[in-house]
Amino acid sequence: MNFKRVLFIVIAILLLAGCSTKEDPASDDSKPKDQAVIKNTDVKNEPSNEFPLTGMATEAGSERRAAAVMINNHPEARPQSGLSEADMVYEMLAEGDITRFLAIFQSEMPSQIGPIRSARDYYIELAKGLDCIYVCHGYSPEAKTMLDRGYIDNLNGLYYDGTLFQRSADRKAPHNSYTSFEDIEKGAKEKGYELNGAPEPYAFLTKEEAAGLQGNRH
């Protein structure tokens, strides 16, 4: 074989080896960069806010003021509308052995809430503690005194029957009064109530802390 031809082949092999050696680090360096971009994107997409009464993450702000609505629990009022969308629900005796619910809405805004019943003074105290807009249809004598003197921002179906409060034709009064979160906010604006001002947030356990508590029970 010609000496020049052999030399040419050797030089070509060396050049190819050098090129592949230079390309490998470049390809290795690109992988961490791609992974870093993905990780940064994931961090940006994580919600930075939480709803104060549930601890659930949210992309949007969570400063909306809560509404506390008196929900009927008479057998003729069931099934109720909107309870499953409430952040919190209190149940207490109203009269005899019949209970009523005080449903607190802040993170969700139901299109139908009810049936709505009359106010009681101890329910008003609960709503006041969360600085809610209190929603009812009627009142007891004690509750009327509190509402008349402006103890709490309130909307009463007695004064908005057929406007902000609608009657369902499927049920008999007094088990057929309904409203919506949209109508609650509309009424609040008409009366000049503040719509921002979320309740003070509750402290919630992390998943690890909750798991630790469950483990200690066994």
Side-chain angles (χ1 to χ4, degrees), residues 16-212:
L16 288 172
C19 290
S20 63
T21 303
K22 291 178 181 178
E23 289 174 359
D24 288 343
S27 61
D28 290 341
D29 290 341
S30 67
K31 290 180 181 178
K33 290 179 182 178
D34 292 341
Q35 291 172 356
V37 170
I38 293 171
K39 288 179 180 179
N40 289 336
T41 302
D42 290 342
V43 170
K44 289 180 181 178
N45 288 337
E46 290 180 359
S48 57
N49 298 308
E50 292 182 351
F51 288 115
L53 301 180
T54 65
M56 299 297 291
T58 172
E59 294 284 355
S62 57
E63 289 304 309
R64 181 170 51 242
R65 190 177 181 187
V69 186
M70 291 292 298
I71 303 291
N72 195 343
N73 195 32
H74 190 279
E76 294 182 19
R78 302 169 191 164
Q80 296 90 345
S81 299
L83 278 179
S84 63
E85 297 173 75
D87 292 350
M88 299 169 56
V89 179
Y90 295 93
E91 181 181 14
M92 293 186 291
L93 287 170
E95 52 199 12
D97 59 350
I98 301 296
T99 64
R100 286 185 190 165
F101 297 118
L102 183 70
I104 313 296
F105 298 94
Q106 199 270 336
S107 65
E108 297 194 51
M109 300 178 288
S111 58
Q112 187 176 49
I113 307 171
I116 302 173
R117 281 305 308 269
S118 57
R120 295 291 185 272
D121 54 325
Y122 42 93
Y123 283 101
I124 294 174
E125 294 287 358
L126 286 173
K128 181 71 172 179
L130 295 170
D131 191 28
C132 296
I133 298 170
Y134 183 70
V135 181
C136 59
H137 197 138
Y139 35 54
S140 66
E142 298 82 5
K144 183 179 186 303
T145 299
M146 297 173 76
L147 298 180
D148 285 349
R149 75 169 192 253
Y151 179 75
I152 190 171
D153 291 347
N154 68 92
L155 296 171
N156 195 321
L158 288 179
Y159 310 112
Y160 297 97
D161 205 342
T163 55
L164 301 178
F165 293 69
Q166 299 82 39
R167 295 284 185 173
S168 170
D170 298 331
R171 293 179 177 173
K172 296 180 180 180
H175 312 297
N176 63 348
S177 177
Y178 292 83
T179 191
S180 66
F181 201 95
E182 182 180 355
D183 281 332
I184 291 171
E185 290 196 326
K186 180 180 177 182
K189 288 179 182 178
E190 290 178 358
K191 298 193 76 170
Y193 297 153
E194 181 60 55
L195 292 177
N196 288 325
E200 288 293 321
Y202 287 118
F204 294 91
L205 297 176
T206 64
K207 290 182 179 180
E208 292 76 15
E209 290 170 337

